Amino acid sequence: MVRWSIGILLFFAVLINYIDRSSMSVAEGHMRAEFGMTEGQIGIILGSFGWSYALMQIPMGMLLDKIGIKWVMRAATFLWAVSCFLTAMISGMGLLLIARLILGFAEAPIFPGAMKVTSYWFPRTERGMATVIFDSGQRLSNVIGFPLVGAAVAFFGWRGAFITIGVLSLIYMVVFFFRYRDPKEMNRRGKLSDAELNHILDGGAQHEDAPKPNPLANLGYILRQRKVWGMSLGLGCAGYVQWMLLTWLPGFLQAEMHMDVAKSGLVTAIPWLFAVVIQYLLPGFWLDRLIRNGKSSTIVRRAFIIGGMLLAITIVGTAFTHDLVWSLIWITLGTTGITIAFSVTNSLPALIAPEGAVGSTGAVMNTVNNLIGTTAPIVTGFIVQFTGSFAVAFIVAGVMLVIGVFFFTVVLGRIEQIPTAEEAAAAKAAGLKA
């Protein structure tokens, strides 16, 4: 079925994105030694990607809603590759910072774009698995990417590793250029059957040819919605912990478990591989099945999100052990919980956004997520620099997850589509007349 091939295309977009952005956490030891940087300075570099990434989320979301997915993503994929090649050529901290900022700018459309694609291509009862497919790319990037980059650094040096990633990005750019179209355009080209198109539309997919809202007015309306803030701030708290793991887990294994770069890359893959298996079984298969069987979408999705956050809090156990096996157990449980919460939350913009505004809604969520998340590499770097260990960093991660549970339970509310501004105004006027 064509829609699932589109899901796989999104999976590879996210996979390569996350290999791009997390590769520096594997190579940071070599880069820090070559450029004479402190842990605090490398923390700033690791977090700098997120500054431009977060800053460009809302503009890119508005652009996706205004001109569509196809051309925004084509331009973005080209810039991914440029940034990787630029990183391989840098000669100091200043240029490294610029390369990371470019990467953040280029990758900003990927998650709002993926959410918008799922709103076009999948009925509401398939959104759980559709979201898991693209979201699992970021988890499997740690299973595939960390060992791949670790091996590339060991054999070719850190510059060679970034050249390899740049080539992967160029290959994906070509595939996306020729493969992706919106459903109705694919149907007109004879590459999507009428039966599958009707299945998608009858199942509650948003219409790609719906009227395009005024971007700024639409953004203001979205920012006034409580659901959007509950979803966004809750995810941001989980995002803090995910960013800490993505950027500092190899460093934790190298510093506290005395592993070399290649071995730390392999061991880092273990928690994420386990998390991906659970991700496909629970928020993928089981969540959609429960909803198809008539269970409340709100109750089921909230149960998965909150259950995932509570499971993730077990990561605090890492602060109280120096044993490799126990550290991996706590990190694996924490990683699995974060993965469950992320998978379900990433499906929410396509479910609650007003018609034609999935890009902007997803961008607001991703902006908040990344503004909070990108503090994690910096905070963790300075905690390690001043305390000499990662223990306090894991305790801070647990506190953030507790705060996230509050936003998901108290602020989010029912998981249902927000009416458009015009629909809300009409309903208010009708209520006043009554």
Side-chain angles (χ1 to χ4, degrees):
M1 291 176 282
V2 177
R3 65 188 184 280
W4 296 110
S5 72
I6 296 297
I8 293 170
L9 187 67
L10 293 178
F11 163 80
F12 280 105
V14 175
L15 176 69
I16 295 171
N17 253 231
Y18 269 79
I19 292 175
D20 286 354
R21 69 180 70 174
S22 62
S23 56
M24 193 169 290
S25 63
V26 178
E28 59 89 12
H30 290 259
M31 300 172 80
R32 180 154 40 97
E34 181 171 333
F35 299 127
M37 292 186 287
T38 66
E39 287 88 347
Q41 287 175 321
I42 200 67
I44 292 171
I45 295 296
L46 289 170
S48 63
F49 159 86
W51 303 341
S52 57
Y53 182 79
L55 182 65
M56 293 307 299
Q57 282 294 302
I58 290 176
M60 288 298 181
M62 294 165 66
L63 202 60
L64 284 162
D65 285 339
K66 191 64 179 177
I67 70 172
I69 298 159
K70 183 170 65 177
W71 284 105
V72 173
M73 291 296 294
R74 285 175 175 179
T77 52
F78 173 72
L79 285 177
W80 300 349
V82 169
S83 173
C84 292
F85 291 127
L86 181 60
T87 303
M89 297 186 290
I90 59 99
S91 57
M93 183 175 174
L95 290 175
L96 182 57
L97 186 65
I98 291 171
R100 294 296 286 180
L101 291 171
I102 292 173
L103 182 64
F105 175 90
E107 293 191 353
I110 179 59
F111 264 87
M115 294 167 192
K116 194 170 182 68
V117 170
T118 59
S119 77
Y120 284 170
W121 273 97
F122 292 92
R124 296 173 73 87
T125 56
E126 294 177 355
R127 298 281 173 81
M129 182 59 76
T131 304
V132 162
I133 288 173
F134 77 74
D135 185 78
S136 67
Q138 64 179 298
R139 323 296 163 186
L140 283 173
S141 72
N142 305 309
V143 178
I144 299 168
F146 279 129
L148 174 66
V149 176
V153 170
F155 285 102
F156 306 117
W158 66 266
R159 295 181 190 273
F162 281 99
I163 291 173
T164 301
I165 298 165
V167 171
L168 286 175
S169 298
L170 280 178
I171 292 171
Y172 182 80
M173 177 194 74
V174 173
V175 173
F176 185 89
F177 187 93
F178 287 104
R179 177 58 182 159
Y180 183 79
R181 302 290 187 278
D182 289 336
K184 290 183 180 178
E185 182 179 353
M186 195 83 85
N187 177 254
R188 289 194 297 270
R189 289 169 172 257
K191 296 182 178 180
L192 176 68
S193 69
D194 291 340
E196 186 170 3
L197 179 63
N198 290 333
H199 172 75
I200 293 167
L201 296 177
D202 293 344
Q206 294 206 4
H207 292 266
E208 64 204 63
D209 50 4
K212 303 292 190 294
N214 177 280
L216 289 177
N218 186 55
L219 177 62
Y221 176 70
I222 289 169
L223 290 174
R224 294 193 297 272
Q225 305 304 311
R226 176 174 170 170
K227 291 183 191 301
V228 173
W229 285 106
M231 169 183 73
S232 303
L233 290 167
L235 188 66
C237 293
Y240 177 95
V241 184
Q242 176 166 275
W243 269 82
M244 186 187 82
L245 293 172
L246 286 171
T247 55
W248 277 109
L249 184 52
F252 164 76
L253 294 171
Q254 292 165 30
E256 305 229 345
M257 301 300 162
H258 311 293
M259 294 181 178
D260 59 29
V261 172
K263 189 174 181 181
S264 71
L266 289 170
V267 173
T268 297
I270 294 171
W272 297 107
L273 181 60
F274 185 85
V276 167
V277 173
I278 299 301
Q279 181 180 28
Y280 273 90
L281 290 175
L282 296 184
F285 172 77
W286 195 24
L287 183 148
D288 282 346
R289 183 175 182 179
L290 287 171
I291 293 173
R292 281 197 297 270
N293 288 340
K295 302 298 182 183
S296 165
S297 173
T298 291
I299 292 173
V300 170
R301 294 184 196 279
R302 280 166 62 100
F304 273 84
I305 292 170
I306 295 164
M309 295 289 282
L310 293 175
L311 178 62
I313 294 171
T314 60
I315 201 170
V316 173
T318 313
F320 302 100
T321 182
H322 295 287
D323 181 78
L324 175 60
V325 173
W326 275 108
S327 293
L328 280 176
I329 289 172
W330 296 127
I331 291 169
T332 299
L333 289 174
T335 301
T336 301
I338 291 167
T339 298
I340 292 170
F342 253 84
S343 296
V344 182
T345 308
N346 278 333
S347 71
L348 298 188
L351 293 164
I352 73 171
E355 189 75 35
V358 175
S360 297
T361 305
V364 169
M365 182 182 78
N366 234 23
T367 299
V368 175
N369 172 32
N370 284 280
L371 286 174
I372 298 173
T374 52
T375 64
I378 300 171
V379 171
T380 303
F382 282 105
I383 287 174
V384 174
Q385 183 174 330
F386 289 113
T387 67
S389 80
F390 283 82
V392 175
F394 282 108
I395 293 172
V396 171
V399 172
M400 291 298 294
L401 291 165
V402 172
I403 296 171
V405 171
F406 166 80
F407 285 111
F408 280 131
T409 53
V410 177
V411 182
L412 176 60
R414 288 188 57 80
I415 298 171
E416 57 191 7
Q417 188 171 26
I418 299 167
T420 64
E422 293 76 16
E423 290 169 343
K428 184 177 180 179
L432 290 174
K433 290 179 181 178

